[in-house]
Amino acid sequence: MTAGTAVCGFYGRANLGDEAILAGMCDALAAARPGESVLALSADPAGTRRQHGVDAAPLRVGARRPARLGAARTAARRARLARTLLSRDGFVLGGGDLLRDSPTQEVVRGWLEPLELARTLRRRTAVVGVSVGDLWKRSSEDAVRRALDGTAFVVARDAPSTERLRALDVQAPLDTAPDLALRVFPPDDGSALRAGAPPRVLVSVRGLADRADGAAPARHRAAVGQLAAALDELAREGAQVELVPFRSLPASLQPVDDDYVASLEVAHRAREGHRFTVHRHVPDVAALRELLRGASLVVGMRLHAVIVAVGAEVPVLGVSYDRKVRNFCEEVGLGSSCWDTDDLDGAALAAAARSALQGPARTTTQSARTYRERSGVIVERLRAWS
């Protein structure tokens, strides 16, 4: 066994937001426990080693219902996971949107399994940077309560998630702290902005087809139409519109939830779409940070598009497809700068973007400053963890 920590989240799945979470987790662990070995459980261990410079081991979670796996196969998978967990003396679940139900996958059970196994193996355990989504199954609520009660501490990434855990009567110490990605997206000084150059508007869009909601396709079409109309206005007024996928693969398409496909749809629906830049793929957190440096405005549907913009203090407008996006915007004082996909209005979005582009090049709110300052809670809890 190596003295160190295994960390488990939605890593190695071509999602920039979750890779930023992992980078922030590694940064927090380095600050709290200098020199400690980190092992990331990842769907793409080689890619995780290359991008983050940490050891990595394979993990597949939530791909299918456990009932479809034979007993022997399930036992073999658990044995491999146990050997991995035994290689470190600590285990952290997080961060991200892990504690939620899904009509098609056993999300909660899948993510809690490594945590429960780590505790069975007498590893020290903690939960950091998670949010609580829709839990509509009593069995999921019970599973969350049981699993989290046995951990040293839980740090949720937004106040509604902390309140939800309290309502579930979770007995572990509970705290709220900023999303881990903020640790690796510090305020930008604006030095990359060029005087007199067209403003660069970065846009994150995602499809809604995987939301398991019968109305999702219609909602998606309506939201895409309104977003395209807003971007048309900005492009006609001289803005350089860039569609940035937060989840994509460099040489193929994701079966669902592919932001490159969603970006192409927006460009196709827009009259000025031929002027847009559609990025095929952003390879890593460093490349995303570089893109953000010269941006004048971010319009974000992905939660982490909004989070990293707030971190860099780039003006941002949110488009909420899920309540976690609105929760974050409300928490950092940007509730009036966020529209739900159901009531997105292209003209209003364009007017808000125009106003933001005419304001300060780098901006934040007092709520965002206060939110960021709470990041020390994570380091304090990890430092005292035993």
Side-chain angles (χ1 to χ4, degrees):
M1 179 183 69
T2 300
T5 302
V7 297
C8 175
F10 198 78
Y11 307 141
R13 298 174 187 242
N15 188 312
L16 280 173
D18 290 286
E19 297 309 316
I21 287 174
L22 177 54
M25 179 77 79
C26 292
D27 181 79
L29 281 164
R33 311 172 77 86
E36 185 167 281
S37 170
V38 175
L39 171 69
L41 304 185
S42 167
D44 176 17
T48 295
R49 292 187 200 102
R50 184 171 58 252
Q51 183 174 162
H52 298 279
V54 298
D55 197 6
L59 177 73
R60 294 283 179 180
V61 169
R64 61 184 71 187
R65 293 185 184 276
R68 296 180 185 175
L69 297 175
R73 189 175 170 189
T74 299
R77 178 177 57 79
R78 282 180 60 85
R80 287 193 299 271
L81 178 57
R83 287 194 295 271
T84 298
L85 296 176
L86 284 169
S87 71
R88 298 295 187 277
D89 63 2
F91 174 84
V92 176
L93 177 65
D97 184 23
L98 307 181
L99 305 182
R100 60 181 177 84
D101 280 325
S102 165
T104 58
Q105 299 176 359
E106 293 291 349
V107 178
V108 168
R109 189 179 303 175
W111 289 112
L112 291 181
E113 180 186 27
L115 174 64
E116 292 174 321
L117 183 55
R119 203 169 76 236
T120 298
L121 296 171
R122 299 185 182 279
R123 307 298 91 175
R124 51 188 170 87
T125 60
V127 178
V128 175
V130 298
S131 59
V132 181
D134 290 327
L135 290 176
W136 60 77
K137 300 177 186 176
R138 177 61 63 84
S139 60
S140 296
E141 295 179 340
D142 292 342
V144 168
R145 184 185 306 108
R146 285 195 307 271
L148 270 56
D149 275 353
T151 62
F153 61 88
V154 178
V155 181
R157 68 178 178 182
D158 58 64
S161 293
T162 304
E163 291 308 311
R164 184 77 168 95
L165 293 175
R166 287 199 177 100
L168 290 175
D169 198 29
V170 170
Q171 296 299 301
L174 299 176
D175 283 299
T176 309
D179 188 281
L180 286 155
L182 279 184
R183 297 190 63 86
V184 291
F185 281 88
D188 176 56
D189 62 8
S191 60
L193 295 170
R194 294 176 295 159
R200 290 178 59 227
V201 178
L202 304 189
V203 183
S204 158
V205 61
R206 63 153 294 170
L208 301 177
D210 68 325
R211 302 308 291 173
D213 175 355
R219 289 172 52 219
H220 176 69
R221 285 192 298 272
V224 164
Q226 293 298 322
L227 180 58
L231 298 179
D232 273 338
E233 289 196 37
L234 298 180
R236 282 193 289 267
E237 293 166 9
Q240 179 182 334
V241 175
E242 300 182 33
L243 292 154
V244 179
F246 269 62
R247 190 175 192 208
S248 65
L249 293 171
S252 61
L253 302 179
Q254 298 271 6
V256 294
D257 196 19
D258 191 313
D259 292 3
Y260 176 63
V261 174
S263 297
L264 289 176
E265 184 179 358
V266 171
H268 178 73
R269 293 281 296 275
R271 294 180 181 273
E272 304 295 328
H274 59 286
R275 300 186 187 183
F276 299 173
T277 297
V278 181
H279 292 272
R280 177 64 185 87
H281 177 70
V282 181
D284 52 35
V285 172
L288 177 60
R289 200 158 38 224
E290 190 60 28
L291 270 177
L292 196 61
R293 282 188 67 237
S296 303
L297 175 68
V298 171
V299 179
M301 184 179 288
R302 284 282 184 188
L303 171 63
H304 279 92
V306 182
I307 288 174
V308 302
V310 167
E313 299 188 353
V314 175
V316 60
L317 304 174
V319 178
S320 177
Y321 73 93
D322 185 284
R323 70 181 185 185
K324 65 186 178 183
V325 181
R326 177 159 291 283
N327 284 350
F328 176 77
C329 288
E330 296 283 356
E331 189 142 16
V332 297
L334 294 174
S336 62
S337 298
C338 181
W339 288 262
D340 295 335
T341 51
D342 287 343
D343 55 19
L344 183 62
D345 180 86
L349 184 63
R354 196 177 296 114
S355 176
L357 290 172
Q358 292 169 353
R362 292 292 178 262
T363 183
T364 190
T365 64
Q366 182 56 51
S367 295
R369 289 192 190 97
T370 302
Y371 179 81
R372 179 190 285 281
E373 289 166 1
R374 295 205 305 270
S375 180
V377 169
I378 295 174
V379 175
E380 291 169 9
R381 295 294 177 269
L382 289 171
R383 186 175 290 132
W385 185 32
S386 62

